[in-house]
Amino acid sequence: MASGSESRELECMICLKLFTDPTTIPCGHSYCIECIKTFRQSQINKYNKYSCPQCKDPLGKEPELKKNTTLCALVELSKTAEPKQPLSPTASEDGTHHSQCDICNPERATATCLTSNMSYCCKHVETHYENGHLKSHKHRNVIEAVCETGGEYQCVDCVAAHPACLYSSVQGEFDKKKETLKRKLESVTSAIQTTEENLAKRSKEKREIEQSAARINESLSREFAELRQVLEEREKAALSAVRSSQKAASSRVSQIIHGLSSAQDALQRKKSELELVNVKDFFEFLRTDLPETEESSLAVDEESTALIQEEGSAVKDAIADLKDDVQSKLDNAIKAIKQTQTEGFANLTFDPNTAHKRLALSEGNRRVTVKQNNRTDSCMQERFTISQVMASTGFSEGCHYWEVNTRLSKGWAIGIAYQRLGRADKLGRNALSWCVEWSRSRFSAWHDSVEVRLPQGELSGIGVHLKCDEGKVSFYAVSVSETLLHTFDVQFSEPVFPVFWLFGLDKGSALSFVEP
């Protein structure tokens, strides 16, 4: 006859009876085939559908279950032994709530294992402690208290063993943490709602800008097309007028040419007649009448040529005046558009009195660079003791925008802060500053030591849009187009200054302001 301990080894941990068609799963534990199938398919297994009920070893893909013939034979040999009756479940005397057994739900649990996070009824708790893999787990009673000193969860036996400690109920801690979770969810939900509203507002604003630009482009294209049409019509009219003048002048000149040709012929005849006059006979020559000649027929009419040249010069002068006028007016209009685009673009410089001793300023204090041996007065009270620098200009009202080139820096933070920011305070790690940063291949927004991870990667430029009156500061990725990265909603109580942080102090690392 098998002993009690040997009989226990042949019992299924789920049904607590001798194995029926036992099977062994990959972790080495054995169960009845139907029991382990039912356990997998039930909702009792709330931790992992494909894990061992005893050791919680994940089984991955559901294994094929095969009968363990050796265990079948041992079960047959032990059937003559008296089966050990399992303990009856212990009812709660004070009516307090207990969790259900994770093995044989809905039996009430009488003990909880904090190591495996499993609850057991009185039947399965003994098996839990006798199992070699689990016997090191503690707490034989239900966890009911939390030590306020060490934060450990304790059963009634542990509470009795440590009378000097202060305890609170698990239910109370549960309710307290649940309330904290509720507040955090409400805060995050509110933040999400605010962000969604801002996104919707900015998306609408972007669509309106795009639609307005499209309308303006269409109008400009139409106006230029009409202008080109007018110029083409005037060109055709001018060319036609020149051609008409040319025809009229050519006609007049042709007539003159014809007249001159006729005059030439007549003159040739006169010449011939004059050449025939006899000059040898003195008295005969004196008696001969010489032919008459017309001096006026020798004149050349240049009036038509001068007239057409004058008309052509007048058209050319009119075109030149029109060209200058159109170019001047268009240049002024384009300049006005550019001025509208850069309205509020802050012309910032770095404050040399606040720069860390290893930060050097150049290009009119519009560029800050890490130098290994920078000669500066490190004793100035305004100077940061970490690699930060503040801008010279602060803002308390209105809208302002500036851009920073980050191409030459592997790690940086760009933001704003009150001027009273401590000279050892890191940007974004306190209630006085707000920033975005790129560090360790991670992009984040920071305020009061709270980090918000952002999905973007490394950027070549950052744009900052500060709206003091609305209490908003927005950060944009600057490239071909602007992409909103993050917006802080702040009720500013005093002027804020742009602040910059260069990480790592790598020689040559630099940030610079972009020209408007």
Side-chain angles (χ1 to χ4, degrees), residues 451-467:
E451 179 185 18
V452 178
R453 294 288 300 275
L454 302 176
Q456 285 75 16
E458 188 172 6
L459 301 172
S460 60
I462 294 294
V464 184
H465 195 186
L466 174 64
K467 296 182 178 179

Side-chain angles (χ1 to χ4, degrees), residues 301-317:
D301 186 2
E302 296 182 355
E303 181 182 354
S304 298
T305 303
L307 178 61
I308 193 169
Q309 289 179 347
E310 183 180 347
E311 291 174 348
S313 297
V315 173
K316 287 174 64 178
D317 292 342

Side-chain angles (χ1 to χ4, degrees), residues 351 354 382 384 390-394 416-423 432 494-499:
D351 183 1
T354 64
E382 298 92 343
F384 283 106
M390 184 176 284
S392 302
T393 306
I416 59 172
Y418 294 135
Q419 192 173 23
R420 57 189 173 93
L421 178 70
R423 288 328 185 227
L432 304 178
E494 55 190 276
V496 290
F497 287 73
V499 182

Side-chain angles (χ1 to χ4, degrees), residues 30-72:
S30 299
Y31 305 93
C32 302
I33 289 180
E34 291 302 321
C35 289
I36 190 65
K37 283 183 178 180
T38 303
F39 180 78
R40 280 203 195 96
Q41 296 170 358
S42 70
Q43 295 180 351
I44 300 172
N45 185 9
K46 57 190 175 186
Y47 302 102
N48 191 330
K49 188 175 181 180
Y50 300 103
S51 62
C52 174
Q54 297 184 67
C55 66
K56 298 303 173 186
D57 186 25
L59 303 179
K61 185 178 180 180
E62 184 174 357
E64 181 181 358
L65 301 177
K66 296 182 179 180
K67 184 186 294 186
N68 187 325
T69 56
T70 302
L71 280 178
C72 286

Side-chain angles (χ1 to χ4, degrees), residues 49-113:
K49 188 175 181 180
Y50 300 103
S51 62
C52 174
Q54 297 184 67
C55 66
K56 298 303 173 186
D57 186 25
L59 303 179
K61 185 178 180 180
E62 184 174 357
E64 181 181 358
L65 301 177
K66 296 182 179 180
K67 184 186 294 186
N68 187 325
T69 56
T70 302
L71 280 178
C72 286
L74 290 174
V75 169
E76 292 299 324
L77 290 174
S78 66
K79 282 185 176 178
T80 55
E82 286 292 330
K84 182 177 180 179
Q85 295 295 327
L87 298 174
S88 300
T90 303
S92 173
E93 296 178 357
D94 58 0
T96 57
H97 172 74
H98 292 283
S99 59
Q100 295 174 328
C101 177
D102 285 307
I103 302 297
C104 64
N105 182 61
E107 290 294 332
R108 179 174 295 166
T110 59
T112 301
C113 174

Side-chain angles (χ1 to χ4, degrees), residues 88-271:
S88 300
T90 303
S92 173
E93 296 178 357
D94 58 0
T96 57
H97 172 74
H98 292 283
S99 59
Q100 295 174 328
C101 177
D102 285 307
I103 302 297
C104 64
N105 182 61
E107 290 294 332
R108 179 174 295 166
T110 59
T112 301
C113 174
L114 282 186
T115 306
S116 61
N117 201 26
M118 293 284 287
S119 297
Y120 299 95
C121 64
C122 59
K123 298 178 183 179
H124 289 99
V125 68
E126 294 300 325
T127 307
H128 174 75
Y129 283 109
E130 290 176 3
N131 184 284
H133 182 70
L134 304 172
K135 64 184 180 181
S136 62
H137 296 184
K138 61 182 180 179
H139 300 301
R140 290 178 173 271
N141 292 301
V142 176
I143 301 302
E144 295 181 348
V146 181
C147 178
E148 295 183 359
T149 304
E152 296 181 351
Y153 294 92
Q154 306 289 5
C155 65
V156 291
D157 292 340
C158 295
V159 172
H162 301 84
C165 295
L166 296 177
Y167 294 94
S168 58
S169 69
V170 170
Q171 186 64 41
E173 289 296 316
F174 175 81
D175 293 340
K176 188 187 300 183
K177 195 164 187 178
K178 188 176 180 181
E179 185 62 29
T180 301
L181 175 62
K182 180 181 177 181
R183 289 197 305 271
K184 288 188 175 183
L185 281 173
E186 291 175 349
S187 176
V188 171
T189 301
S190 176
I192 290 174
Q193 184 178 356
T194 301
T195 303
E196 288 176 347
E197 291 174 355
N198 287 333
L199 283 173
K201 181 179 178 181
R202 297 306 175 191
S203 297
K204 181 181 178 182
E205 182 179 351
K206 183 179 179 181
R207 287 194 301 271
E208 290 176 350
I209 291 172
E210 291 173 348
Q211 292 170 358
S212 176
R215 289 193 297 269
I216 292 173
N217 286 338
E218 183 181 355
S219 176
L220 288 175
S221 298
R222 185 170 57 254
E223 295 293 335
F224 275 105
E226 292 176 357
L227 178 60
R228 282 192 295 269
Q229 184 178 355
V230 170
L231 291 175
E232 289 174 358
E233 291 174 354
R234 296 300 179 269
E235 178 186 9
K236 291 177 181 178
L239 294 177
S240 177
V242 171
R243 282 194 297 269
S244 297
S245 297
Q246 176 253 328
K247 288 180 180 179
S250 295
S251 178
R252 289 194 296 270
V253 172
S254 295
Q255 293 176 0
I256 293 172
I257 292 173
H258 179 71
L260 289 173
S261 298
S262 299
Q264 185 181 22
D265 292 341
L267 290 172
Q268 287 292 344
R269 288 192 300 271
K270 294 293 183 180
K271 179 182 177 183

